[in-house]
Amino acid sequence: MTAQVDYLVVFFTATSGASGELLGSDEKELVQLVWQLVDVKNKQLGKVNEILIKPDLSELTEKKEEEDVVEESVEEETGSGADNVSTASSFETALNLFHLELSNEVNSAGAGTSVCLCTDGQLHIRQVILPEAASKNILVPDCFYSFFDLRKEFKMHFPSPDLKALNVHIMAESLSMPVDVPPMWDPSSTLDPSAILTAEIAVQQVQIMGSIVLALLSEPYSHTFTNQERVSEKFENGTCSKMEKVCDNSVIRARGLPWQSSDQDIARFFRGLNIAKGGAALCLNAQGRRNGEALVRFDSEEHRDLALQRHKHHMGNRYIEVYKASGEDFLKIAGGTSNEVATFLSREDQIIVRMRGLPFIATHEQVLAFFSPGDDLKETCPVSGGVDGILFVRYPDGRPTGDAFVLFACEEHAQCALRKHKEILGRRYIELFKSTAAEVQQVLNRYSSAPLIAVAPAPLVSMLPTVSLLPPPGGLRDCLRLRGLPYTASIEDILTFLGEFTQDIRPHGVHMVLNQQGRPSGDCFIQMTSAEQAIHASQRLHKHVMSSQRGASSRYVEVFPCSAEEMGLVLMGGSLSHTHTHTHTRNRSGTGLSPPPCKSRRLSPSSYSFGHAQPVMSSEAAAALYPQIGQMLLAPRPLHPGHAYYPASAQLYMNYAAYYPSPPGSPTALGFYPTPSSLSSQGGLMRMPGLTYNSNGVKDLINAVQGYQYTPEEALMHAHGAMHAHDPTGTLLTHPKEWVCI
């Protein structure tokens, strides 16, 4: 709440693109500024001023000093109706000219000095002036960081359910105010919302807005303009607790960010919108590296909706996608519970630098010495707070991870520190990156998610069957595996590479394996009509060169025969390696198979093995308590020693593998993936659509089927229909004919 200002400046902008409620959504440049001074005390209107901005062609033409000249024009030359019309050669020149003419007019009036802008809605300041100034690195006058929204001021006297439905015509009609100017453009009645306003319509808008302001200041309303809209001039770092309540309607997800972007770059992209303190959180992938996404939390739903209008606006040469997100998503990334991290981040106005690749025996003193200036260097980058300004990232058991975060007092010291990127500490080179408070929380949360002690709860009865995840050796090897394909290779390129063996491919028998990002991994499987043809093709085509029609690169391709079981294992999430030794000491060298992965090698906990677990009650006691399944419990099937157990609380990261089949369609799910022959009887396939995108993969599936046992009864569930390869939420899981829950 502030005191009544002396002058209001009715302000209006127009761009070379869309107008109305889409103003500024297409990133078009400003072409027109129109304003009128309103004397609040004397209730008088000043003259209407207009500035026309020429397109900025400095990159296409020679730079000349004389081109940056303000040319005065007269009203009769344009016919827009403005009292004073000027022309500027650039956006920056127009802002400086606006500030100069406004200051001169206020000084000449002599009725006061306090001035504030008044606009029809939020778009003119938040979506036009400030974003364009940020993209061109232009400093704007201080008057653009506070303004009055005429629609909100009008709503205090005439309640309206939707501010977007208001316009100057509706406000003028509600005030029973005669309008002397001709009827103007009405956004609500225009079929094309991307229509460009003419100079005359912009002047008419300002004239009507000035009349509305005078009507609100006069009796019977006697309105007082005191509730200014504030624009954040700078992004504030801060911490967020996982227990904090975050509104779902205030968070967005930005995708496509440059990998080196920081939270300050995100704040610059959303300049004009108020981001909450510590509300820019960069996302990391499973390897702890930035994945080009960020979650941004705004002060209100109104600002979130304005941020969504910046979908596919540009940050440098990249366009940024903007989508809605939830408060839970933001807390997963930026929320924290560690008091040590909260203390580390509690210092205000500190620049954070992340160190990666530290020796495990590195100490605080070694880090301080690393950033101390050398004998021949004049630059200094002292760590803020000394030892207290260094935070080592550790596993829950205290072991170092090789990461650390360091605080610096100013941007100059941080930039000096970043110039030590890949310098040597001990015997290792150190990677340095500018970081954020949210990244500190995210890294600490991820490393602290592993269980401290490998403890498995005792099951009621150990009854899980011992089933090998690997297919048995010696199966019919009637398929081909192609390894080392060009990443641009298409199915047509593969068929060309196979040549005469194309006629021996089964219908829809070409399957390309995709990685976690949905891109070709360089692997492909071919279903052949016979094992003889598969062996013949592998002998003829092994290490031959394949060319791609969509790229200039050519690569030699390795061709191996494999079985349908092995192919099905990979397409269901397994991996192929050069050698593998089975858990039952059965040598599988040469098959290139490993079981479907349940963890990555970096950030997830180790797999824990347990011996035979003792049941908490005898089989006879269990049969007495559960007579309906007593016969089954009398002959329990114990868990095999060494079987991997993954605690439900652990975060596991699966090396995802997907595929897409050859056109025109995929084979049916039932019968396509063979069941491992280690099962006692013929199994089936179960498709599980609707899985969450943030599920932990195989771990969740294993947890879902714990406590179920096979019985040779009729099948309860079968897979029907075609398997759609592009359905990321669909999962195939081999299952026996019937599951009985205990």
Side-chain angles (χ1 to χ4, degrees):
M1 183 73 68
T2 58
Q4 178 91 315
V5 296
D6 299 324
Y7 295 100
L8 287 176
V9 182
V10 178
F11 186 80
F12 187 87
T13 63
T15 68
S16 60
S19 55
E21 295 305 319
L22 297 181
L23 181 67
S25 62
D26 51 5
E27 263 188 311
K28 296 297 183 180
E29 292 187 341
L30 181 71
V31 296
Q32 186 183 19
L33 276 176
V34 185
W35 76 93
Q36 185 178 27
L37 191 67
V38 180
D39 187 341
V40 176
K41 293 182 179 179
N42 300 322
K43 299 181 178 57
Q44 294 180 353
L45 295 176
K47 60 183 179 180
V48 178
N49 303 275
E50 180 182 11
I51 297 179
L52 300 176
I53 305 171
K54 297 179 181 178
D56 190 356
L57 303 177
S58 58
E59 297 181 358
L60 304 177
T61 60
E62 298 181 0
K63 295 182 179 180
K64 298 179 181 180
E65 294 291 337
E66 55 269 22
E67 287 183 357
D68 195 18
V69 177
V70 178
E71 300 177 355
E72 295 295 335
S73 178
V74 295
E75 177 184 351
E76 290 75 17
E77 292 181 357
T78 61
S80 62
D83 301 317
N84 180 34
V85 181
S86 304
T87 304
S89 61
S90 66
F91 175 77
E92 184 176 12
T93 304
L95 293 184
N96 294 334
L97 178 60
F98 164 76
H99 189 254
L100 177 62
E101 292 188 358
L102 179 60
S103 300
N104 292 337
E105 188 173 359
V106 171
N107 293 333
S108 62
T113 57
S114 59
V115 180
C116 188
L117 302 182
C118 181
T119 63
D120 179 25
Q122 306 272 318
L123 304 181
H124 300 277
I125 302 295
R126 298 191 186 274
Q127 297 288 72
V128 177
I129 297 293
L130 295 176
E132 185 171 346
S135 65
K136 296 180 178 180
N137 293 321
I138 296 174
L139 295 176
V140 300
D142 294 338
C143 62
F144 288 104
Y145 289 100
S146 62
F147 64 96
F148 289 104
D149 186 345
L150 185 59
R151 298 184 183 185
K152 292 184 178 180
E153 302 295 327
F154 176 83
K155 190 177 179 181
M156 294 181 182
H157 302 279
F158 299 90
S160 174
D162 186 10
L163 288 176
K164 295 181 180 180
L166 286 177
N167 56 52
V168 293
H169 267 306
I170 295 177
M171 288 187 281
E173 292 176 1
S174 300
L175 292 170
S176 302
M177 185 184 68
V179 179
D180 298 333
V181 295
M184 57 164 291
W185 172 79
D186 183 4
S188 61
S189 61
T190 303
L191 296 178
D192 184 9
S194 61
I196 301 175
L197 287 180
T198 63
E200 181 181 5
I201 292 178
V203 172
Q204 294 171 1
Q205 280 267 40
V206 170
Q207 291 173 341
I208 297 179
M209 289 169 61
S211 301
I212 294 173
V213 170
L214 286 183
L216 291 176
L217 291 172
S218 304
E219 296 291 342
Y221 307 107
S222 300
H223 183 72
T224 302
F225 288 84
T226 55
N227 298 319
Q228 296 183 10
E229 296 284 325
R230 300 289 181 179
V231 181
S232 299
E233 299 186 38
K234 157 173 137 172
F235 173 71
E236 297 183 25
N237 291 317
T239 60
C240 179
S241 171
K242 282 188 176 294
M243 305 304 294
E244 186 175 343
K245 179 66 175 177
V246 178
C247 179
D248 290 339
N249 295 328
S250 63
V251 182
I252 61 96
R253 180 184 297 273
R255 181 179 299 168
L257 300 169
W259 67 270
Q260 71 274 22
S261 60
S262 65
D263 53 357
Q264 298 295 336
D265 297 320
I266 296 173
R268 188 179 300 109
F269 177 79
F270 290 108
R271 180 66 59 81
L273 307 179
N274 295 345
I275 300 177
K277 185 176 181 179
L282 295 166
C283 301
L284 307 180
N285 59 18
Q287 287 74 40
R289 302 176 185 269
R290 296 174 185 175
N291 62 3
E293 295 189 5
L295 290 166
V296 185
R297 176 188 178 189
F298 294 94
D299 284 344
S300 64
E301 181 179 358
E302 179 184 25
H303 289 210
R304 192 282 307 266
D305 293 340
L306 293 177
L308 293 173
Q309 293 187 13
R310 300 194 188 183
H311 179 61
K312 292 195 173 181
H313 282 204
H314 287 78
M315 179 184 292
N317 295 326
R318 299 176 63 103
Y319 71 85
I320 308 301
E321 302 174 16
V322 182
Y323 304 98
K324 292 181 180 180
S326 66
E328 182 182 359
D329 294 336
F330 182 81
L331 289 177
K332 287 180 180 178
I333 301 299
T337 57
S338 172
N339 293 330
E340 182 183 11
V341 177
T343 304
F344 177 78
L345 298 175
S346 61
R347 301 175 178 88
E348 296 291 337
D349 299 328
Q350 301 289 324
I351 309 299
I352 307 173
V353 172
R354 180 180 180 183
M355 304 180 70
R356 190 165 62 195
L358 287 169
F360 293 147
I361 59 174
T363 63
H364 291 82
E365 290 72 20
Q366 288 177 317
V367 174
L368 292 175
F370 178 80
F371 289 109
S372 62
D375 297 335
D376 55 343
L377 296 178
K378 296 182 180 180
E379 294 181 324
T380 61
C381 46
V383 176
S384 177
V387 175
D388 294 335
I390 303 172
L391 176 65
F392 285 102
V393 182
R394 302 180 184 276
Y395 290 108
D397 57 3
R399 292 181 296 114
T401 64
D403 283 25
F405 294 94
V406 184
L407 293 178
F408 294 93
C410 61
E411 185 69 28
E412 180 182 357
H413 291 171
Q415 292 300 326
C416 176
L418 292 173
R419 283 193 282 271
K420 293 180 175 288
H421 180 61
K422 291 196 174 181
E423 289 191 8
I424 302 299
L425 174 60
R427 296 184 178 181
R428 305 189 63 175
Y429 72 86
I430 308 302
E431 297 177 285
L432 299 175
F433 307 94
K434 198 172 181 181
S435 186
T436 66
E439 184 173 350
V440 177
Q441 295 278 25
Q442 193 174 171
V443 172
L444 267 294
N445 291 341
R446 179 161 296 177
Y447 278 110
S448 63
S449 62
L452 284 172
I453 304 174
V455 177
L460 177 65
V461 177
S462 299
M463 59 176 57
L464 289 179
T466 303
V467 179
S468 172
L469 293 175
L470 291 175
L476 185 63
R477 307 177 73 81
D478 58 349
C479 299
L480 289 176
R481 179 200 173 192
L482 275 61
R483 184 172 64 187
L485 300 175
Y487 292 123
T488 57
S490 63
I491 292 180
E492 290 74 14
D493 297 326
I494 296 173
L495 297 179
T496 303
F497 173 78
L498 294 175
E500 62 184 85
F501 297 102
T502 304
Q503 59 185 358
D504 299 316
I505 301 176
R506 293 184 183 180
H508 318 311
V510 181
H511 307 279
M512 298 185 69
V513 181
L514 308 181
N515 60 18
Q516 189 174 4
Q517 287 74 36
R519 300 171 181 169
S521 64
D523 279 17
C524 175
F525 287 94
I526 312 291
Q527 290 179 282
M528 307 296 287
T529 55
S530 65
E532 292 77 11
Q533 291 299 326
I535 296 175
H536 189 196
S538 65
Q539 293 173 347
R540 288 276 303 274
L541 300 176
H542 184 58
K543 290 194 175 181
H544 281 207
V545 176
M546 175 186 293
S547 300
S548 174
Q549 299 176 0
R550 293 182 292 179
S553 61
S554 298
R555 300 181 62 178
Y556 77 85
V557 177
E558 298 175 283
V559 183
F560 308 99
C562 67
S563 66
E565 289 87 354
E566 294 168 348
M567 179 188 68
L569 174 69
V570 174
L571 298 184
M572 293 174 64
S575 61
L576 293 177
S577 58
H578 294 291
T579 59
H580 179 78
T581 302
H582 194 256
T583 56
H584 299 297
T585 68
R586 182 171 53 192
N587 195 327
R588 301 298 299 270
S589 177
T591 63
L593 284 174
S594 61
C598 294
K599 65 182 183 69
S600 71
R601 296 179 180 177
R602 289 201 176 195
L603 299 180
S604 58
S606 305
S607 59
Y608 305 110
S609 299
F610 301 90
H612 178 69
Q614 296 296 330
V616 296
M617 65 176 65
S618 64
S619 300
E620 292 77 12
L625 289 175
Y626 305 96
Q628 65 273 23
I629 56 173
Q631 296 300 321
M632 180 180 64
L633 296 175
L634 289 176
R637 302 172 70 175
L639 184 68
H640 191 277
H643 191 84
Y645 171 81
Y646 302 95
S649 62
Q651 286 190 354
L652 305 177
Y653 303 93
M654 177 178 174
N655 298 324
Y656 178 76
Y659 78 100
Y660 65 88
S662 56
S666 61
T668 58
L670 184 60
F672 174 66
Y673 296 106
T675 302
S677 58
S678 56
L679 292 176
S680 58
S681 63
Q682 181 62 33
L685 290 174
M686 180 174 66
R687 184 183 180 191
M688 302 174 66
L691 293 178
T692 58
Y693 287 89
N694 58 354
S695 66
N696 291 325
V698 172
K699 187 204 74 169
D700 288 344
L701 301 182
I702 292 176
N703 291 337
V705 298
Q706 281 184 346
Y708 293 83
Q709 181 160 345
Y710 167 78
T711 56
E713 302 292 338
E714 295 182 357
L716 291 178
M717 183 184 301
H718 293 284
H720 296 283
M723 169 64 184
H724 298 284
H726 295 289
D727 180 9
T729 59
T731 299
L732 289 176
L733 179 67
T734 303
H735 74 99
K737 289 184 179 179
E738 178 172 317
W739 299 98
V740 178
C741 180
I742 49 173

